Amino acid sequence: MGRRFTRSTTGTRTAVAEPPGPLAHDIDWARERRTAIGVTGLLFTALLTTDAGFGTLDVTRGALWTGLAALVFVILLPPRVSTAPGELSARGPLTRHTVRTDSLVSIRWSDGVAQHMILRDTEGNGVEIDPTVLVRNPAMWRRFDEDTRTSIRRGTLLCGATALSRMAAHIDRETARTVFTLSGLK
């Protein structure tokens, strides 16, 4: 485990232990955050402009539109997913959920308009993420795959191993296709 130093406002140095192994974050999260800000800003501007154009804008309606824009932003902002050795975290604007990926009990799929993967560990913690986050982030996928294999070896993963192997095969095919395309072999 490495150490890094932080400097306080008084100028003293304090050693802080760094987490073991590399952290991996969703590389598209910043773009998705900008999109959520842009959509929210556009909605807020349209509401205020329309209300002002009709001459009905007042403090109460301005507060209402501000609250509505804030609600839309919270809904559109995806959780920030990150992986570290043995864990996966999803941090939203108000919450943070962490699950031990090296001691998973179940991996369930929620089908619907937006597919979600629901992870549960032996400690009872749970995280719900969009599986495309793992697909588009190879570093996160490698860490997650390695840790779930540990869960399978330990015998803790009771539900979801088949779906996980299908997802791994899909990611391997997409990776190979990308490599072939980039190298000009396809």
Side-chain angles (χ1 to χ4, degrees), residues 46-156:
L47 290 170
L48 287 180
T49 304
T50 303
D51 223 7
F54 286 120
T56 57
L57 183 61
D58 60 8
V59 174
T60 305
R61 290 177 71 91
L64 176 69
W65 300 142
T66 303
L68 180 63
L71 178 63
V72 168
F73 176 72
V74 168
I75 290 169
L76 291 179
L77 183 67
R80 185 165 194 176
V81 179
S82 61
T83 58
E87 69 178 34
L88 183 139
S89 296
R91 187 177 65 207
L94 305 173
T95 61
R96 178 186 174 121
H97 298 281
T98 302
V99 68
R100 296 289 311 175
T101 51
D102 55 359
S103 59
L104 288 173
V105 173
S106 70
I107 301 173
R108 298 191 189 274
W109 299 90
S110 169
D111 289 326
V113 175
Q115 189 178 48
H116 283 85
M117 190 165 62
I118 303 160
L119 309 170
R120 294 256 177 237
D121 66 12
T122 56
E123 298 168 6
N125 300 320
V127 171
E128 185 174 332
I129 65 166
D130 180 355
T132 59
V133 170
L134 297 173
V135 172
R136 69 179 180 229
N137 293 284
M140 289 179 70
W141 169 251
R142 281 192 302 274
R143 169 58 50 205
F144 180 76
D145 186 45
E146 182 180 312
D147 289 344
T148 54
R149 290 175 195 267
T150 301
S151 294
I152 292 169
R153 275 194 310 275
R154 290 179 179 170
T156 61

